[in-house]
Amino acid sequence: MTARSTWEELEQAARRARSQAYAPYSRFTVGAALKAKSGAVFVGCNVENASYGATICAERAALAAAIAAGERELVALAIVSGASDPIPPCGICRQSLAELAPELSIRSFTDDAQTDFELQGLLPSAFGAKSLT
Ligand code: THU
């Protein structure tokens, strides 16, 4: 169970991060905030590129920041976008997040709505380290 105060903190951090998004091509700005078991919060925004495939999603940017800070256990993720409905993370982000946080709780926000997801529900039967053996 993720506390209400945690979600409020993550929502605020993700909204701030979204304001820094670099999305001149899609104009679809996304912010993400990831809470580690230590309590620290790491944010990311989408970073697009003229070579579109080089784009990094907000969720993976937040994941990279957490890992670079030495975190390995991640507990909750907030996503903020300007879509008409709260967005789930894309397929690539689901796979990236499952590597380190298969049981991650996710709350996605728009300006006036929110939806909860569980990573396990979004990516059942994930390919993982065990699959390599
Ligand atoms: N994007 C994210 O940052 N996160 C998602 O969950 C979905 C998509 C970004 C990638 C691209 O910059 C823009 O949103 C449109 O796909």
Side-chain angles (χ1 to χ4, degrees), residues 22-23 26-31 45-49 52 55-60 79 81 87-91 93:
Y22 177 74
S26 72
R27 307 246 169 236
F28 187 81
T29 56
V30 184
C45 60
N46 51 335
V47 182
E48 297 190 343
N49 193 278
Y52 298 166
T55 291
I56 303 167
C57 291
E59 296 90 326
R60 272 175 296 136
I79 304 168
S81 80
I87 59 166
C90 82
C93 290

mmCIF file of all heavy atoms in Angstrom, residues 22-23 26-31 45-49 52 55-60 79 81 87-91 93, ligand 1:
data_model
loop_
_atom_site.group_PDB
_atom_site.id
_atom_site.type_symbol
_atom_site.label_atom_id
_atom_site.label_comp_id
_atom_site.label_asym_id
_atom_site.label_seq_id
_atom_site.Cartn_x
_atom_site.Cartn_y
_atom_site.Cartn_z
ATOM 1 N N TYR A 22 11.196 17.983 -23.018
ATOM 2 C CA TYR A 22 11.672 18.458 -24.325
ATOM 3 C C TYR A 22 10.926 17.644 -25.378
ATOM 4 O O TYR A 22 11.282 16.498 -25.676
ATOM 5 C CB TYR A 22 13.189 18.265 -24.433
ATOM 6 C CG TYR A 22 13.734 18.671 -25.780
ATOM 7 C CD1 TYR A 22 13.850 20.020 -26.129
ATOM 8 C CD2 TYR A 22 14.128 17.717 -26.707
ATOM 9 C CE1 TYR A 22 14.333 20.400 -27.370
ATOM 10 C CE2 TYR A 22 14.617 18.093 -27.953
ATOM 11 C CZ TYR A 22 14.718 19.426 -28.273
ATOM 12 O OH TYR A 22 15.189 19.802 -29.508
ATOM 13 N N ALA A 23 9.840 18.208 -25.900
ATOM 14 C CA ALA A 23 8.981 17.467 -26.825
ATOM 15 C C ALA A 23 8.539 18.354 -27.985
ATOM 16 O O ALA A 23 7.343 18.562 -28.210
ATOM 17 C CB ALA A 23 7.776 16.909 -26.076
ATOM 18 N N SER A 26 6.399 15.962 -30.884
ATOM 19 C CA SER A 26 5.041 15.479 -30.594
ATOM 20 C C SER A 26 4.222 16.522 -29.834
ATOM 21 O O SER A 26 2.997 16.478 -29.847
ATOM 22 C CB SER A 26 5.106 14.213 -29.738
ATOM 23 O OG SER A 26 5.517 14.513 -28.407
ATOM 24 N N ARG A 27 4.890 17.414 -29.127
ATOM 25 C CA ARG A 27 4.232 18.374 -28.234
ATOM 26 C C ARG A 27 3.453 17.666 -27.122
ATOM 27 O O ARG A 27 2.585 18.263 -26.479
ATOM 28 C CB ARG A 27 3.288 19.323 -28.986
ATOM 29 C CG ARG A 27 3.949 20.019 -30.122
ATOM 30 C CD ARG A 27 4.045 21.527 -29.867
ATOM 31 N NE ARG A 27 4.911 22.154 -30.855
ATOM 32 C CZ ARG A 27 5.982 22.880 -30.580
ATOM 33 N NH1 ARG A 27 6.336 23.114 -29.330
ATOM 34 N NH2 ARG A 27 6.714 23.412 -31.531
ATOM 35 N N PHE A 28 3.753 16.393 -26.937
ATOM 36 C CA PHE A 28 3.104 15.588 -25.886
ATOM 37 C C PHE A 28 4.098 15.490 -24.731
ATOM 38 O O PHE A 28 5.055 14.725 -24.777
ATOM 39 C CB PHE A 28 2.760 14.204 -26.446
ATOM 40 C CG PHE A 28 1.938 13.344 -25.524
ATOM 41 C CD1 PHE A 28 0.555 13.507 -25.441
ATOM 42 C CD2 PHE A 28 2.543 12.362 -24.752
ATOM 43 C CE1 PHE A 28 -0.204 12.714 -24.593
ATOM 44 C CE2 PHE A 28 1.780 11.552 -23.906
ATOM 45 C CZ PHE A 28 0.407 11.729 -23.832
ATOM 46 N N THR A 29 3.888 16.317 -23.715
ATOM 47 C CA THR A 29 4.861 16.376 -22.624
ATOM 48 C C THR A 29 4.451 15.431 -21.484
ATOM 49 O O THR A 29 3.271 15.318 -21.146
ATOM 50 C CB THR A 29 5.013 17.808 -22.082
ATOM 51 O OG1 THR A 29 3.719 18.287 -21.666
ATOM 52 C CG2 THR A 29 5.578 18.740 -23.145
ATOM 53 N N VAL A 30 5.459 14.766 -20.937
ATOM 54 C CA VAL A 30 5.225 13.770 -19.884
ATOM 55 C C VAL A 30 6.234 13.994 -18.763
ATOM 56 O O VAL A 30 7.411 14.269 -19.017
ATOM 57 C CB VAL A 30 5.374 12.327 -20.433
ATOM 58 C CG1 VAL A 30 5.020 11.300 -19.358
ATOM 59 C CG2 VAL A 30 4.515 12.118 -21.676
ATOM 60 N N GLY A 31 5.762 13.862 -17.536
ATOM 61 C CA GLY A 31 6.647 13.896 -16.373
ATOM 62 C C GLY A 31 6.468 12.619 -15.576
ATOM 63 O O GLY A 31 5.377 12.025 -15.569
ATOM 64 N N CYS A 45 11.605 13.427 -17.474
ATOM 65 C CA CYS A 45 10.646 13.956 -18.457
ATOM 66 C C CYS A 45 11.026 13.348 -19.796
ATOM 67 O O CYS A 45 12.126 12.809 -19.946
ATOM 68 C CB CYS A 45 10.699 15.481 -18.509
ATOM 69 S SG CYS A 45 12.310 16.138 -18.983
ATOM 70 N N ASN A 46 10.110 13.439 -20.759
ATOM 71 C CA ASN A 46 10.499 12.902 -22.062
ATOM 72 C C ASN A 46 11.478 13.846 -22.759
ATOM 73 O O ASN A 46 11.395 15.081 -22.622
ATOM 74 C CB ASN A 46 9.291 12.557 -22.948
ATOM 75 C CG ASN A 46 8.266 13.647 -23.093
ATOM 76 O OD1 ASN A 46 8.119 14.520 -22.239
ATOM 77 N ND2 ASN A 46 7.530 13.616 -24.189
ATOM 78 N N VAL A 47 12.404 13.235 -23.454
ATOM 79 C CA VAL A 47 13.463 13.970 -24.159
ATOM 80 C C VAL A 47 13.446 13.472 -25.600
ATOM 81 O O VAL A 47 13.901 12.351 -25.884
ATOM 82 C CB VAL A 47 14.847 13.720 -23.519
ATOM 83 C CG1 VAL A 47 15.913 14.545 -24.242
ATOM 84 C CG2 VAL A 47 14.831 14.054 -22.026
ATOM 85 N N GLU A 48 12.871 14.273 -26.477
ATOM 86 C CA GLU A 48 12.733 13.841 -27.876
ATOM 87 C C GLU A 48 13.985 14.167 -28.675
ATOM 88 O O GLU A 48 14.911 14.849 -28.200
ATOM 89 C CB GLU A 48 11.485 14.490 -28.487
ATOM 90 C CG GLU A 48 10.229 14.018 -27.768
ATOM 91 C CD GLU A 48 8.930 14.412 -28.445
ATOM 92 O OE1 GLU A 48 8.931 15.329 -29.307
ATOM 93 O OE2 GLU A 48 7.907 13.795 -28.109
ATOM 94 N N ASN A 49 14.019 13.654 -29.897
ATOM 95 C CA ASN A 49 15.181 13.834 -30.750
ATOM 96 C C ASN A 49 14.717 13.926 -32.198
ATOM 97 O O ASN A 49 13.722 13.288 -32.574
ATOM 98 C CB ASN A 49 16.126 12.631 -30.573
ATOM 99 C CG ASN A 49 17.479 12.877 -31.181
ATOM 100 O OD1 ASN A 49 17.685 12.725 -32.381
ATOM 101 N ND2 ASN A 49 18.418 13.286 -30.350
ATOM 102 N N TYR A 52 13.670 10.433 -34.422
ATOM 103 C CA TYR A 52 12.582 10.182 -33.467
ATOM 104 C C TYR A 52 12.812 8.972 -32.557
ATOM 105 O O TYR A 52 12.435 8.977 -31.395
ATOM 106 C CB TYR A 52 11.248 9.994 -34.211
ATOM 107 C CG TYR A 52 10.786 11.187 -35.016
ATOM 108 C CD1 TYR A 52 9.768 11.047 -35.957
ATOM 109 C CD2 TYR A 52 11.357 12.447 -34.850
ATOM 110 C CE1 TYR A 52 9.324 12.131 -36.706
ATOM 111 C CE2 TYR A 52 10.930 13.532 -35.600
ATOM 112 C CZ TYR A 52 9.912 13.368 -36.525
ATOM 113 O OH TYR A 52 9.476 14.431 -37.261
ATOM 114 N N THR A 55 14.246 9.066 -28.965
ATOM 115 C CA THR A 55 13.472 9.668 -27.861
ATOM 116 C C THR A 55 13.503 8.806 -26.600
ATOM 117 O O THR A 55 13.439 7.582 -26.678
ATOM 118 C CB THR A 55 12.006 9.856 -28.324
ATOM 119 O OG1 THR A 55 11.989 10.881 -29.325
ATOM 120 C CG2 THR A 55 11.095 10.252 -27.172
ATOM 121 N N ILE A 56 13.616 9.487 -25.468
ATOM 122 C CA ILE A 56 13.562 8.796 -24.167
ATOM 123 C C ILE A 56 12.263 9.200 -23.482
ATOM 124 O O ILE A 56 11.940 10.395 -23.397
ATOM 125 C CB ILE A 56 14.743 9.212 -23.270
ATOM 126 C CG1 ILE A 56 16.077 8.938 -23.968
ATOM 127 C CG2 ILE A 56 14.681 8.475 -21.926
ATOM 128 C CD1 ILE A 56 17.252 9.621 -23.274
ATOM 129 N N CYS A 57 11.540 8.215 -22.987
ATOM 130 C CA CYS A 57 10.305 8.508 -22.248
ATOM 131 C C CYS A 57 10.624 9.010 -20.837
ATOM 132 O O CYS A 57 11.684 8.704 -20.271
ATOM 133 C CB CYS A 57 9.454 7.252 -22.112
ATOM 134 S SG CYS A 57 8.732 6.684 -23.648
ATOM 135 N N ALA A 58 9.665 9.712 -20.264
ATOM 136 C CA ALA A 58 9.817 10.253 -18.913
ATOM 137 C C ALA A 58 10.095 9.147 -17.890
ATOM 138 O O ALA A 58 10.926 9.311 -16.994
ATOM 139 C CB ALA A 58 8.532 10.987 -18.532
ATOM 140 N N GLU A 59 9.419 8.020 -18.050
ATOM 141 C CA GLU A 59 9.556 6.939 -17.060
ATOM 142 C C GLU A 59 10.965 6.361 -17.069
ATOM 143 O O GLU A 59 11.540 6.075 -16.019
ATOM 144 C CB GLU A 59 8.543 5.816 -17.363
ATOM 145 C CG GLU A 59 7.094 6.246 -17.235
ATOM 146 C CD GLU A 59 6.497 6.783 -18.539
ATOM 147 O OE1 GLU A 59 7.224 7.421 -19.326
ATOM 148 O OE2 GLU A 59 5.297 6.552 -18.752
ATOM 149 N N ARG A 60 11.522 6.160 -18.261
ATOM 150 C CA ARG A 60 12.885 5.603 -18.307
ATOM 151 C C ARG A 60 13.916 6.631 -17.879
ATOM 152 O O ARG A 60 14.966 6.281 -17.345
ATOM 153 C CB ARG A 60 13.197 5.044 -19.696
ATOM 154 C CG ARG A 60 12.752 3.583 -19.832
ATOM 155 C CD ARG A 60 12.938 3.039 -21.215
ATOM 156 N NE ARG A 60 12.090 3.748 -22.147
ATOM 157 C CZ ARG A 60 12.457 4.186 -23.338
ATOM 158 N NH1 ARG A 60 13.678 3.999 -23.763
ATOM 159 N NH2 ARG A 60 11.592 4.808 -24.116
ATOM 160 N N ILE A 79 2.994 9.282 -13.013
ATOM 161 C CA ILE A 79 3.142 9.764 -14.386
ATOM 162 C C ILE A 79 2.150 10.907 -14.572
ATOM 163 O O ILE A 79 0.994 10.798 -14.129
ATOM 164 C CB ILE A 79 2.812 8.650 -15.407
ATOM 165 C CG1 ILE A 79 3.670 7.406 -15.170
ATOM 166 C CG2 ILE A 79 2.987 9.156 -16.838
ATOM 167 C CD1 ILE A 79 3.192 6.179 -15.953
ATOM 168 N N SER A 81 0.608 13.484 -17.653
ATOM 169 C CA SER A 81 0.589 13.895 -19.067
ATOM 170 C C SER A 81 -0.614 14.800 -19.309
ATOM 171 O O SER A 81 -1.461 14.967 -18.433
ATOM 172 C CB SER A 81 0.498 12.675 -19.992
ATOM 173 O OG SER A 81 -0.848 12.215 -20.052
ATOM 174 N N ILE A 87 -2.400 8.082 -18.844
ATOM 175 C CA ILE A 87 -1.716 7.116 -19.720
ATOM 176 C C ILE A 87 -1.001 6.038 -18.900
ATOM 177 O O ILE A 87 -0.461 6.314 -17.835
ATOM 178 C CB ILE A 87 -0.685 7.805 -20.643
ATOM 179 C CG1 ILE A 87 0.383 8.561 -19.829
ATOM 180 C CG2 ILE A 87 -1.384 8.731 -21.630
ATOM 181 C CD1 ILE A 87 1.606 8.977 -20.642
ATOM 182 N N PRO A 88 -0.976 4.817 -19.417
ATOM 183 C CA PRO A 88 -0.091 3.802 -18.849
ATOM 184 C C PRO A 88 1.291 3.981 -19.474
ATOM 185 O O PRO A 88 1.418 4.625 -20.516
ATOM 186 C CB PRO A 88 -0.730 2.495 -19.329
ATOM 187 C CG PRO A 88 -1.350 2.860 -20.642
ATOM 188 C CD PRO A 88 -1.768 4.304 -20.554
ATOM 189 N N PRO A 89 2.339 3.433 -18.846
ATOM 190 C CA PRO A 89 3.654 3.518 -19.489
ATOM 191 C C PRO A 89 3.677 2.701 -20.786
ATOM 192 O O PRO A 89 2.957 1.708 -20.902
ATOM 193 C CB PRO A 89 4.603 2.914 -18.441
ATOM 194 C CG PRO A 89 3.749 2.165 -17.488
ATOM 195 C CD PRO A 89 2.383 2.762 -17.550
ATOM 196 N N CYS A 90 4.500 3.128 -21.734
ATOM 197 C CA CYS A 90 4.584 2.417 -23.017
ATOM 198 C C CYS A 90 5.244 1.045 -22.824
ATOM 199 O O CYS A 90 5.790 0.732 -21.758
ATOM 200 C CB CYS A 90 5.358 3.250 -24.035
ATOM 201 S SG CYS A 90 7.164 3.107 -23.884
ATOM 202 N N GLY A 91 5.218 0.256 -23.853
ATOM 203 C CA GLY A 91 5.745 -1.114 -23.762
ATOM 204 C C GLY A 91 7.219 -1.169 -23.414
ATOM 205 O O GLY A 91 7.651 -2.016 -22.610
ATOM 206 N N CYS A 93 8.962 1.033 -21.742
ATOM 207 C CA CYS A 93 9.115 1.417 -20.334
ATOM 208 C C CYS A 93 8.652 0.309 -19.408
ATOM 209 O O CYS A 93 9.254 0.068 -18.356
ATOM 210 C CB CYS A 93 8.366 2.716 -20.045
ATOM 211 S SG CYS A 93 9.148 4.142 -20.819
HETATM 212 N N1 THU B 1 6.036 9.239 -23.779
HETATM 213 C C1 THU B 1 6.479 9.197 -22.491
HETATM 214 O O1 THU B 1 7.378 9.956 -22.087
HETATM 215 N N2 THU B 1 5.924 8.289 -21.657
HETATM 216 C C2 THU B 1 4.895 7.455 -21.982
HETATM 217 O O2 THU B 1 4.436 6.686 -21.158
HETATM 218 C C3 THU B 1 4.327 7.499 -23.332
HETATM 219 C C4 THU B 1 5.031 8.355 -24.298
HETATM 220 C C5 THU B 1 6.583 10.266 -24.674
HETATM 221 C C6 THU B 1 7.429 9.775 -25.792
HETATM 222 C C7 THU B 1 7.255 10.898 -26.802
HETATM 223 O O3 THU B 1 8.161 11.941 -26.502
HETATM 224 C C8 THU B 1 5.856 11.403 -26.568
HETATM 225 O O4 THU B 1 5.512 10.969 -25.266
HETATM 226 C C9 THU B 1 4.823 10.900 -27.566
HETATM 227 O O5 THU B 1 4.849 9.524 -27.675
#
